[in-house]
């Protein structure tokens, strides 16, 4: 991909093989949906982008940027949330991507950006030349802006191919000016409350998918109890430790029992 080129994508969601889940689903119903789709398709690839979308950017918009959620509903499609940067280790003080509140210019250095027309980027807030440590910026980025450089990630765990379509992830660099409706400053304390929940939601979502894939391969585990328990805890605010431990057990079992699997499973299984 050349600098300034946006990622290729289907012209509309109806032609995409990658599921766009109904964000109105309850947390229990969403985990049930993930389990059922994985069991039906025996594949992670068409389900994964939608799982990430429901768990992270949709959840973020519902809780921190409802105005953008209403805009998204007018033209719904898969999109991601770009937070990860080299060396940031999940700490807001380490963010190198910056949004200047004086001139509305955003400077981006992101490692994982999901395929799509748009992405929400997490950035440090700058008031003219001073770092604003009490707030962070949510920035709505057009990935088709000519000033944005996207570099496709080539690691197998970041590429999802299914039925002759590919859903990729990218590194992103660039500097652009945003319209006044395309950013929102939020208290850093609010993000710190929600940020750790994003990974918990993804892990428990992958647990439901792992259960479905195991079922598709003839290994029946107690899915109903996990879906009800983890979904209820998610609905109440955040998954609990036991939900995460169960999800990790299912992922480990998948890596042991299913030889034909996406590389993401092994990456997840190797995490401490």
């Amino acid at each position: 991909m050349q600098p300034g080129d946006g990622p290729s994508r289907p012209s509309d969601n109806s032609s995409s093989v990658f599921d766009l889940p109904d964000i109105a689903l309850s947390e229990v119903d969403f985990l049930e949906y993930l389990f059922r789709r994985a069991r039906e398709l025996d594949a992670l690839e068409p389900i994964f982008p939608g799982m990430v979308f429901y768990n992270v950017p949709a959840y973020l918009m519902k809780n921190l940027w409802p105005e953008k959620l209403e805009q998204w509903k007018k033209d719904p499609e898969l999109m991601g949330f770009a937070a990860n940067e080299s060396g940031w280790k999940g700490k807001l003080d380490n963010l190198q991507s910056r949004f200047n509140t004086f001139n509305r210019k955003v400077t981006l250095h992101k490692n994982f950006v999901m395929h799509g027309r748009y992405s929400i980027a997490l950035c440090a807030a700058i008031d003219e030349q001073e770092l604003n440590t009490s707030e962070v910026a949510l920035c709505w980025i057009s990935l088709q802006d000519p000033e944005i450089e996207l570099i496709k990630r080539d690691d197998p765990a970041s590429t999802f191919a299914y039925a002759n379509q590919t859903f990729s992830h990218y590194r992103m660099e660039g500097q652009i000016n945003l319209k006044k409706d395309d950013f929102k400053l939020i208290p850093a304390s609010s993000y710190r409350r929600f940020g750790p929940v994003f990974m918990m939601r993804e892990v428990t979502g992958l647990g439901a998918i792992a259960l479905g894939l195991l079922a598709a391969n003839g290994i029946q585990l107690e899915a109903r109890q996990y879906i009800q328990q983890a979904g209820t805890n998610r609905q109440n605010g955040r998954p609990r430790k036991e939900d995460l431990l169960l999800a990790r057990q299912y992922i480990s079992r998948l890596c042991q029992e299913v030889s034909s699997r996406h590389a993401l499973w092994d990456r997840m299984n190797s995490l401490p």
Side-chain angles (χ1 to χ4, degrees):
M1 176 164 292
Q2 298 300 314
D5 289 346
S8 60
R9 68 181 192 95
S11 59
D12 57 59
N13 289 316
S14 63
S15 65
S16 176
V17 300
F18 301 100
D19 290 359
L20 176 63
D22 180 358
I23 63 170
L25 288 173
S26 72
E27 298 287 350
V28 172
D29 288 343
F30 178 66
L31 294 184
E32 171 65 31
Y33 155 82
L34 293 178
F35 168 77
R36 175 177 49 80
R37 288 293 284 161
R39 185 180 58 189
E40 291 172 353
L41 299 175
D42 190 19
L44 169 69
E45 290 86 340
I47 310 165
F48 179 79
M51 186 275 291
V52 173
F53 173 73
Y54 179 99
N55 280 329
V56 184
Y59 181 74
L60 179 148
M61 287 190 285
K62 286 177 184 179
N63 288 282
L64 297 175
W65 205 355
E67 308 92 333
K68 271 300 181 188
L69 182 62
E70 292 307 308
Q71 176 184 322
W72 175 87
K73 288 178 179 178
K74 296 175 183 178
D75 185 19
E77 61 179 280
L78 291 169
M79 61 176 293
F81 174 58
N84 186 284
E85 298 181 1
S86 297
W88 92 296
K89 299 179 181 178
K91 296 181 179 180
L92 297 182
D93 293 344
N94 292 339
L95 282 171
Q96 295 303 306
S97 294
R98 304 290 175 91
F99 175 73
N100 189 312
T101 61
F102 180 71
N103 57 17
R104 302 204 302 263
K105 180 171 289 187
V106 60
T107 302
L108 298 159
H109 308 283
K110 293 298 181 183
N111 279 350
F112 286 88
V113 180
M114 202 164 90
H115 181 105
R117 280 192 300 168
Y118 302 101
S119 180
I120 298 173
L122 177 68
C123 300
I126 302 292
D127 296 330
E128 296 194 47
Q129 299 300 319
E130 296 292 325
L131 180 65
N132 178 352
T133 58
S134 65
E135 294 181 308
V136 291
L138 301 177
C139 300
W140 186 271
I141 306 298
S142 169
L143 300 184
Q144 297 176 332
D145 190 295
E147 300 302 315
I148 296 294
E149 178 181 5
L150 296 172
I151 303 167
K152 183 184 278 190
R153 297 184 61 89
D154 58 7
D155 51 302
S158 299
T159 302
F160 298 82
Y162 189 78
N164 297 318
Q165 293 186 28
T166 300
F167 200 99
S168 299
H169 290 74
Y170 303 84
R171 293 180 175 86
M172 175 170 65
E173 300 282 338
Q175 189 175 79
I176 59 174
N177 288 94
L178 297 181
K179 296 181 293 185
K180 63 180 180 179
D181 294 333
D182 284 347
F183 70 91
K184 183 170 185 177
L185 298 175
I186 62 170
S189 58
S190 295
Y191 183 80
R192 288 190 176 99
R193 188 166 64 251
F194 282 98
V197 180
F198 297 150
M199 178 57 77
M200 296 179 184
R201 292 172 61 82
E202 290 191 302
V203 171
T204 49
L206 285 169
I209 295 174
L211 280 167
L213 295 178
L214 286 165
N217 286 271
I219 303 166
Q220 303 291 337
L221 301 179
E222 183 46 69
R224 174 56 54 193
Q225 182 176 347
Y226 170 78
I227 289 169
Q228 187 64 46
Q229 172 184 294
T232 299
N233 290 334
R234 285 161 55 110
Q235 193 72 45
N236 290 337
R238 61 193 299 161
R240 299 180 66 178
K241 182 178 180 180
E242 53 264 38
D243 304 328
L244 299 172
L245 290 174
L246 281 172
R248 293 294 299 271
Q249 289 177 25
Y250 302 144
I251 292 168
S252 178
R253 182 73 180 272
L254 177 70
C255 291
Q256 293 170 16
E257 302 283 355
V258 180
S259 59
S260 179
R261 59 183 182 270
H262 192 275
L264 178 71
W265 294 115
D266 296 288
R267 175 183 286 180
M268 293 299 300
N269 197 38
S270 68
L271 294 176

